[in-house]
Amino acid sequence: MKVLVATEKPFAKRAVDGIRSIVEEAGYELALLEKYTDKTQLLEAVADVDALIVRSDKVTREVIDAARNLRIVVRAGAGYDNVDLAAATERGIVVMNTPGQNSNAVAELAIALMIFMARNRFTPGTGSEIQGKTLGIHAYGHVGRLVGRKGKALGMEVIAYDPFVGEEVFAADGVKRVGSIAELYASSDYLSLHIPATAETKGSIGYDLLMSMPKGATLVNTARKEVIDEEGVLRALTEREDLKYVTDIAAGNQAELDEKFGKRVFATPKKMGAETAEANINAGLAAARQIVDFFRTGNTRFQVNK
Ligand code: NAD
């Protein structure tokens, strides 16, 4: 059994060492393709592998076609929109993610971005505090829930919207569940986005929602670029000089946003939500364990193309 780790942006060395010991202890072979610069390198490397671990690497139909023995792909991380699920499913290939493994890293970044914006991006002048402000969480999954708990610990009033999460989860965290997206945005001084990019959510956050937010509100995006209606955000920021937008995933029109709105907008230079040593190691090791478990017991708990 051959497991390939294909990472344009490699895992930390400790993660690779951990993956190697899990794979080799199971009696499998580990192959590494790191920092590849051309997709032909990936097409060659997948030719004889049974399992593939990737990060944000693109596993297209072409890659899947080239991987004749492939039975499982694990995306070490949460979002799996970099994997062509339809192509994998057609071949009966199992695709998994490693939910929850990098959530704390992303949640800490979301809180950091709020404070950064509250303090005028650490430039001289009078900022504000996040304590006492209302924090709205849009989607109460792994990351959303951690942001909610951290917000509460910092003295924020936390409200959330997620139609797929049971009332008991919100109650356990002491978070108020609101009944609609409209109510969430209209009540939130800080709105932290944690929805996945789906057909329903793509381009869904834009002008109307931003315009409904309270005076001085900040939209914080550590989810996905695709969920934003970029033109709508630009229009709302133009019409409302009190609004702020901060993101871990630069918008297509980020240069224009930066130029027009200065300190009211900020994008991290490169997506860095999950870029901590801890998250890196957790997600890599989880991916290796899930592969071994899949081959040994048929466990498909984290399969996303069922
Ligand atoms: P998750 O699957 O644990 O949670 C997603 C939540 O969204 C679920 O609770 C689900 O019920 C909810 N949801 C789905 N559709 C919805 C809708 N239409 N309206 C409201 N809620 C909806 O995912 P997660 O691990 O919490 O990740 C959340 C987001 O963060 C994803 O977009 C993921 O891609 C992104 N992410 C970003 C980084 C980064 O580096 N910035 C890293 C990890 C994850």
Side-chain angles (χ1 to χ4, degrees), residues 116-117 119-125 243-245 257-258 260-266:
F116 182 59
M117 295 308 278
R119 294 301 181 95
N120 303 321
R121 300 181 27 182
F122 300 161
T123 54
L243 292 177
K244 296 179 184 173
Y245 178 55
L257 295 182
D258 289 343
K260 283 195 165 133
F261 307 116
K263 281 193 280 188
R264 291 164 54 210
V265 295
F266 179 77

Side-chain angles (χ1 to χ4, degrees), residues 56 75 77-81 97-103 105-106 109 137-145 161-165 181 193-198 200-201 204 221-225 227 248-249 268 271-275:
S56 294
R75 151 53 165 143
Y80 44 86
D81 41 357
N97 63 350
T98 60
Q101 301 294 338
N102 56 23
S103 310
V106 183
L109 184 75
I137 312 277
H138 191 171
Y140 210 60
H142 286 93
V143 180
R145 192 166 182 184
Y161 172 80
D162 191 323
F164 309 108
V165 170
I181 299 178
L193 261 176
H194 303 292
I195 43 176
T198 64
E200 190 192 347
T201 63
S204 66
N221 181 13
T222 56
R224 278 282 182 269
K225 171 178 186 247
V227 302
D248 186 32
I249 318 94
T268 53
K271 189 164 90 146
M272 57 177 57
E275 292 306 322

Side-chain angles (χ1 to χ4, degrees), residues 57-120:
D57 307 76
K58 292 208 169 26
V59 183
T60 58
R61 183 173 286 275
E62 196 181 1
V63 172
I64 287 169
D65 284 345
R68 297 319 305 168
N69 301 338
L70 192 62
R71 288 173 56 199
I72 177 168
V73 177
V74 182
R75 151 53 165 143
Y80 44 86
D81 41 357
N82 53 317
V83 180
D84 187 331
L85 293 189
T89 307
E90 278 168 32
R91 282 267 314 279
I93 295 166
V94 168
V95 180
M96 296 186 187
N97 63 350
T98 60
Q101 301 294 338
N102 56 23
S103 310
N104 189 66
V106 183
E108 286 190 10
L109 184 75
I111 298 286
L113 292 176
M114 287 177 215
I115 296 175
F116 182 59
M117 295 308 278
R119 294 301 181 95
N120 303 321

Side-chain angles (χ1 to χ4, degrees), residues 15-280:
V16 177
D17 291 346
I19 292 170
R20 182 180 297 286
S21 41
I22 292 167
V23 168
E24 291 181 351
E25 267 166 34
Y28 308 153
E29 183 191 342
L30 185 81
L32 270 186
L33 175 68
E34 293 182 324
K35 296 186 184 165
Y36 57 93
T37 48
D38 194 274
K39 86 172 172 204
T40 55
Q41 296 169 275
L42 179 60
L43 295 175
E44 245 167 61
V46 295
D48 63 343
V49 304
D50 304 278
L52 174 62
I53 297 175
V54 292
R55 300 186 70 207
S56 294
D57 307 76
K58 292 208 169 26
V59 183
T60 58
R61 183 173 286 275
E62 196 181 1
V63 172
I64 287 169
D65 284 345
R68 297 319 305 168
N69 301 338
L70 192 62
R71 288 173 56 199
I72 177 168
V73 177
V74 182
R75 151 53 165 143
Y80 44 86
D81 41 357
N82 53 317
V83 180
D84 187 331
L85 293 189
T89 307
E90 278 168 32
R91 282 267 314 279
I93 295 166
V94 168
V95 180
M96 296 186 187
N97 63 350
T98 60
Q101 301 294 338
N102 56 23
S103 310
N104 189 66
V106 183
E108 286 190 10
L109 184 75
I111 298 286
L113 292 176
M114 287 177 215
I115 296 175
F116 182 59
M117 295 308 278
R119 294 301 181 95
N120 303 321
R121 300 181 27 182
F122 300 161
T123 54
T126 306
S128 62
E129 298 177 21
I130 62 171
Q131 174 171 266
K133 304 297 189 302
T134 298
L135 166 61
I137 312 277
H138 191 171
Y140 210 60
H142 286 93
V143 180
R145 192 166 182 184
L146 285 168
V147 173
R149 290 182 191 160
K150 290 176 199 304
K152 276 194 81 87
L154 291 165
M156 302 182 88
E157 188 75 38
V158 182
I159 61 175
Y161 172 80
D162 191 323
F164 309 108
V165 170
E167 182 63 54
E168 69 287 352
V169 175
F170 298 95
D173 293 348
V175 164
K176 185 182 161 210
R177 178 187 202 171
V178 299
S180 69
I181 299 178
E183 185 183 347
L184 183 75
Y185 281 72
S187 314
S188 299
D189 300 307
Y190 290 87
L191 190 295
S192 198
L193 261 176
H194 303 292
I195 43 176
T198 64
E200 190 192 347
T201 63
K202 278 183 183 166
S204 66
I205 311 302
Y207 181 79
D208 290 342
L209 288 175
L210 247 90
M211 292 302 284
S212 75
M213 292 180 80
K215 189 167 169 30
T218 302
L219 178 64
V220 184
N221 181 13
T222 56
R224 278 282 182 269
K225 171 178 186 247
E226 293 80 6
V227 302
I228 301 290
D229 163 10
E230 294 178 348
E231 279 310 306
V233 167
L234 187 136
R235 202 146 63 86
L237 289 170
T238 306
E239 288 179 30
R240 290 257 318 259
E241 289 188 2
D242 58 305
L243 292 177
K244 296 179 184 173
Y245 178 55
V246 59
T247 183
D248 186 32
I249 318 94
N253 58 356
Q254 193 67 44
E256 189 181 357
L257 295 182
D258 289 343
E259 193 197 317
K260 283 195 165 133
F261 307 116
K263 281 193 280 188
R264 291 164 54 210
V265 295
F266 179 77
T268 53
K270 203 160 187 203
K271 189 164 90 146
M272 57 177 57
E275 292 306 322
T276 65
E278 292 87 344
N280 217 260

